[in-house]
Amino acid sequence: MDRLDAMRAFVTVVAEGSFTRAAERLTLSPQLVSKYVSQLEQHLGVRLLNRTTRRLHLTEAGAAYRQRAQQVLAEIDDMESELGELQTQARGRLHISAPVSFAIRHLAPLINDFQRAHPAVDIDLQLNDRKVDIVEEGFDIALRIGRLKSSSLIARRIAPVRLVLCASPEYLARHGTPEHPRDLAGHRFLRYRYMEESQEPLLQWLPRGGGGSEGSELTSNNGDVLVEAAMGGAGIALQPTFISGSAIQQGRLSVVLPEHEPEPLGLYAVYAHRQLLASKVRHFVDFLEGYFGDPPYWDHF
C-alpha cells in the first residue's frame, strides 16, 4: 500500500460522499479506491468509515484522521508546488564563487543586471582565487579562469581570456624592449603565484629568483598588485587583459612580444549537475553567456 495514495483516496471519498464519485475525481476504479481505504484502516487498526447502502459515515477516529490527513496532503501539495516554481522561476539564494580581480572589475554590473531581470534571486558572492570545492563548500556556481581539466563537474565556457606580457613605457625605455623571448632573461619579472610554467611555455624564458638586471623579484597571488607594480615601472608582468586592458588602452602599459602571446585561457561557469538544474543556476549561466561580448569588451584596445 502506498500510504499517501491511500490517504488521498480516503480524504476524497469523504469529500465526495461516495466511492464512485471519488474514483471519478481521482481517475481510478471504485474497486481500487475501496481497496485503498480498507488497507488504510487495516494499517491504522481502526475503522474510519461506517458504510451503508446509501451513505458513508465518519467514525470518531475517521473524523480525527481526516483533519490531520488533509493538513498533511495540503503541505505536500504546497511543497511540490514550491519545488516546481524553483525549477521554472528563478528564485532563492544563489551561492557564487569567483576570482578576486575579475569579480571586483567586472561582476558588479552583471549581477545588478541579473537581479533586475530576476528580482526573486538573492546573491551570495564569495571572492577567492583558490579552486573551491563546489559541493563540499556549498556553492551553486564557481567562475574559474584557466584551461579546465576533465572532471565530474559541468563547465560552460563564457569568454576567452587573453594573457599578455606588459610593462610601462618608462621601464622599457630604461631597460629596452625584448625582441625575442630569450631577451626576457635580462628583465625583472612580476610573477603571479598561481600561474604554472607547465601551462605557459613563455614562462620558461623568464628569470627565476634574482629578477634579472633589477635584482629582487616580486611574486603575488593577486594580479591587480602586479599590474599596478608594472605601471609603476617595476618590471614585466604576464597578466590577463581583463586586468591590464584598461591600462594598455590608456598607454600606461605597453604590450611586449605580441607575436608570442600565449594561447588564451577561458572564463568558465562551473556547476555540479546538468539534470534537474535549479532554475536560479540555469538562468544565471544563461545570463552569463554572451554578456561580456565576443571579443570581450576589455580587449578593445
Side-chain angles (χ1 to χ4, degrees):
M1 177 192 66
D2 185 302
R3 198 178 305 176
L4 287 177
D5 285 343
M7 187 183 298
R8 197 175 296 279
F10 166 70
V11 169
T12 307
V13 166
V14 175
E16 295 295 328
S18 79
F19 285 91
T20 301
R21 287 196 295 272
E24 291 175 354
R25 180 172 166 185
L26 296 171
T27 64
L28 300 172
S29 69
Q31 293 80 10
L32 183 56
V33 173
S34 179
K35 180 180 178 181
Y36 275 149
V37 174
S38 296
Q39 288 179 336
L40 184 60
E41 289 177 325
Q42 291 172 12
H43 171 74
L44 297 172
V46 295
R47 181 174 291 278
L48 301 173
L49 290 170
N50 286 320
R51 304 159 176 85
T52 66
T53 55
R54 293 187 178 183
R55 295 190 62 183
L56 298 174
H57 299 276
L58 280 171
T59 64
E60 183 179 358
Y65 186 79
R66 177 201 182 190
Q67 183 179 7
R68 297 296 298 275
Q70 285 177 318
Q71 293 174 351
V72 170
L73 292 171
E75 289 178 3
I76 291 173
D77 289 342
D78 288 346
M79 177 184 66
E80 291 180 347
S81 177
E82 289 175 4
L83 290 175
E85 287 183 0
L86 286 175
Q87 289 302 108
T88 57
Q89 300 179 22
R91 63 174 63 247
R93 183 170 293 273
L94 185 65
H95 299 271
I96 304 170
S97 171
V100 176
S101 294
F102 182 83
I104 290 173
R105 289 173 174 265
H106 303 289
L107 270 194
L110 180 144
I111 288 175
N112 289 341
D113 290 344
F114 177 78
Q115 289 192 298
R116 276 194 288 267
H118 303 282
V121 178
D122 298 321
I123 300 290
D124 180 3
L125 176 64
Q126 301 292 319
L127 306 188
N128 203 316
D129 285 333
R130 69 178 175 83
K131 186 177 179 181
V132 300
D133 187 315
I134 294 176
V135 176
E136 288 294 325
E137 298 183 48
F139 289 104
D140 297 301
I141 298 175
L143 298 184
R144 289 181 180 167
I145 294 170
R147 298 185 182 95
L148 296 190
K149 300 175 182 178
S150 59
S151 74
S152 60
L153 300 174
I154 309 302
R156 187 185 297 187
R157 192 171 186 269
I158 302 302
V161 175
R162 287 177 59 194
L163 292 172
V164 294
L165 279 170
C166 53
S168 70
E170 293 77 14
Y171 175 88
L172 297 175
R174 287 199 316 270
H175 301 285
T177 301
E179 297 181 358
H180 187 276
R182 61 174 168 264
D183 298 334
L184 294 171
H187 288 269
R188 187 176 191 232
F189 181 58
L190 311 176
R191 188 178 301 276
Y192 182 60
R193 181 175 298 278
Y194 296 141
M195 193 171 291
E196 298 180 16
E197 191 170 296
S198 61
Q199 293 182 334
E200 302 301 339
L202 189 60
L203 292 177
Q204 298 173 13
W205 297 95
L206 296 167
R208 297 191 63 84
S213 61
E214 289 290 292
S216 60
E217 79 170 356
L218 170 61
T219 300
S220 177
N221 64 350
N222 182 265
D224 278 293
V225 170
L226 299 177
V227 167
E228 287 289 334
M231 287 191 291
I236 297 177
L238 179 61
Q239 282 296 302
T241 53
F242 67 75
I243 300 178
S244 59
S246 60
I248 294 170
Q249 186 178 36
Q250 295 163 15
R252 301 181 67 186
L253 289 176
S254 299
V255 177
V256 177
L257 297 173
E259 64 277 15
H260 293 280
E261 183 175 310
E263 285 294 315
L265 307 176
L267 170 66
Y268 293 88
V270 181
Y271 48 98
H273 305 289
R274 189 188 301 276
Q275 295 181 337
L276 298 178
L277 189 64
S279 181
K280 61 184 178 181
V281 178
R282 184 175 64 252
H283 279 83
F284 187 75
V285 173
D286 290 343
F287 198 86
L288 279 169
E289 197 163 19
Y291 183 88
F292 300 112
D294 187 14
Y297 64 79
W298 54 74
D299 280 340
H300 296 168
F301 57 81

